[in-house]
Amino acid sequence: MNLVVLTGAGVSAESGVPTFRASDGLWCGHRIEDVATPEGYAADPALVQDFYNLRRRQLAEVRPNAAHRALADLAARWAGDFLLVTQNVDDLHDRAHAETPPAEGFELIHMHGELLKGRCTRSGAVMDWTGDMAADQASPLHPQGRMRPHIVWFGETPLQMEQIERALAHCDLFVSIGTSGAVYPAAGFVDLARRAGARTVEINLEPTAGARLFDEGVYGPATQAVPAFLDTL
C-alpha cells in the first residue's frame, strides 16, 4: 500500500513551535509581505534575516512530540512507499526519523524549504546553515552571491511538486495532518488523491473548511489523534 502524508503547523504546535500566522495576517508582529516575500527581502534584507535568525534559534529549544514520533514509528514498519510531505520549515520530522530510522520506501519532502538551510542567490545551490545570517551574508557557493533563507516565500513555487504529484497519483491512502487546507497547492492534494481512488483522512484539531472532501475525519490534539489513528493502520 502506498501512503502520502501531508503535515502542517498543527503537528508541531504542541512542541512549542509558533504557527506565526495569526488571524490578523501578521507573523510575529510583522506583515507577511515584509518578511515572507522576495519583495520584502529586496526592500529590507536585515529585517528578513533577523526574522528567520530568531526562528532558527527557537528550534534549539523544541523537541519532536508524540505525533512526529508516531509518524517515524510508522515509517520504520511501512511495507509500501511512504512519502511524508511537510509544509513546516522546522526540523522536527527529521529529528524524529533520525531517532527511528525509516524503512527503504520512505521519503521526506519539505515543500516550503528548511529553516536550517541557506540558499545562494546567484547559483541557487543549497547548504546546511545552523547559525545566524547577516543582511549581506556572503555566499561560500558563488563569489557574487549572497545567502538567503532556504524558505519558499509567497509568490515562489513550492519544492519538488512534480514528485509530490506523482506520488499522489499512485497513492492508496492520503492523510492530512494539522493543516488548514486553505493554501494552495497543498490544499489541492486531497483532490489529486481522490482522483487516484485513494482513501483520504483528515486529522486536525477541528474540522477544516475542506473536511467534506475527506472520507474520514479524526479530530483532537495531534499528540493524541495522530498516534491513535496510525495505530489502526
Side-chain angles (χ1 to χ4, degrees), residues 24 31 42 70 113 129 148 210:
D24 56 7
R31 293 193 318 146
W129 199 285
R148 56 159 278 185

Side-chain angles (χ1 to χ4, degrees), residues 16 34 37 41 58 72 83 103 105 110 118-119 123 134 141 163 202 209 231:
D34 293 338
T37 63
Y41 175 67
Q58 288 173 329
L83 177 62
H110 286 266
R119 189 189 321 158
S123 69
L141 303 170
Q163 183 179 347
E202 173 179 80
D231 281 345

Side-chain angles (χ1 to χ4, degrees), residues 114-156:
E114 299 178 64
L115 198 53
L116 296 182
K117 291 186 177 180
R119 189 189 321 158
C120 175
T121 58
R122 286 297 292 266
S123 69
V126 175
M127 63 180 293
D128 292 338
W129 199 285
T130 57
D132 285 357
M133 283 187 190
D136 57 350
Q137 184 74 53
S139 170
L141 303 170
H142 192 285
Q144 279 81 49
R146 292 191 303 171
M147 294 302 292
R148 56 159 278 185
H150 182 47
I151 303 293
V152 176
W153 288 325
F154 288 91
E156 298 179 327

Side-chain angles (χ1 to χ4, degrees), residues 13 19 38 41 50-51 53 62 65 70 101 113 118 131 137 153 159 174 182 189 204 216-217 221 224 229:
T19 57
Y41 175 67
D50 286 346
F51 179 79
N53 287 341
V62 298
N65 62 44
Q137 184 74 53
W153 288 325
L159 306 175
F174 171 69
F189 288 179
N204 206 0
E216 182 180 347
Q224 298 173 26
F229 174 76

Side-chain angles (χ1 to χ4, degrees), residues 14-193:
E14 290 175 82
S15 288
V17 178
T19 57
F20 287 90
R21 188 174 188 176
S23 58
D24 56 7
L26 299 180
W27 281 15
C28 277
H30 296 286
R31 293 193 318 146
I32 291 170
E33 296 85 354
D34 293 338
V35 295
T37 63
E39 295 78 12
Y41 175 67
D44 193 345
L47 173 66
V48 173
Q49 295 285 28
D50 286 346
F51 179 79
Y52 290 98
N53 287 341
L54 175 60
R55 297 190 67 182
R56 208 175 288 115
R57 289 183 217 125
Q58 288 173 329
L59 279 189
E61 303 169 5
V62 298
R63 299 289 180 270
N65 62 44
H68 299 106
R69 294 195 179 95
L71 285 162
D73 290 342
L74 181 68
R77 59 185 169 86
W78 192 257
D81 289 337
F82 180 174
L83 177 62
L84 174 55
V85 182
T86 185
Q87 300 173 87
N88 300 336
V89 297
D90 62 55
D91 67 337
L92 297 183
H93 282 306
D94 305 78
R95 284 193 245 168
H97 291 284
E99 294 169 3
T100 307
E104 186 176 341
F106 175 80
E107 187 162 1
L108 170 62
I109 291 177
H110 286 266
M111 66 178 291
H112 290 160
E114 299 178 64
L115 198 53
L116 296 182
K117 291 186 177 180
R119 189 189 321 158
C120 175
T121 58
R122 286 297 292 266
S123 69
V126 175
M127 63 180 293
D128 292 338
W129 199 285
T130 57
D132 285 357
M133 283 187 190
D136 57 350
Q137 184 74 53
S139 170
L141 303 170
H142 192 285
Q144 279 81 49
R146 292 191 303 171
M147 294 302 292
R148 56 159 278 185
H150 182 47
I151 303 293
V152 176
W153 288 325
F154 288 91
E156 298 179 327
T157 303
L159 306 175
Q160 296 176 258
M161 284 302 301
E162 289 185 7
Q163 183 179 347
I164 295 169
E165 290 170 357
R166 280 197 304 271
L168 288 165
H170 295 93
C171 74
D172 301 295
L173 173 63
F174 171 69
V175 184
S176 175
I177 302 173
T179 177
S180 66
V183 179
Y184 283 84
F189 288 179
V190 62
D191 284 323
L192 295 175

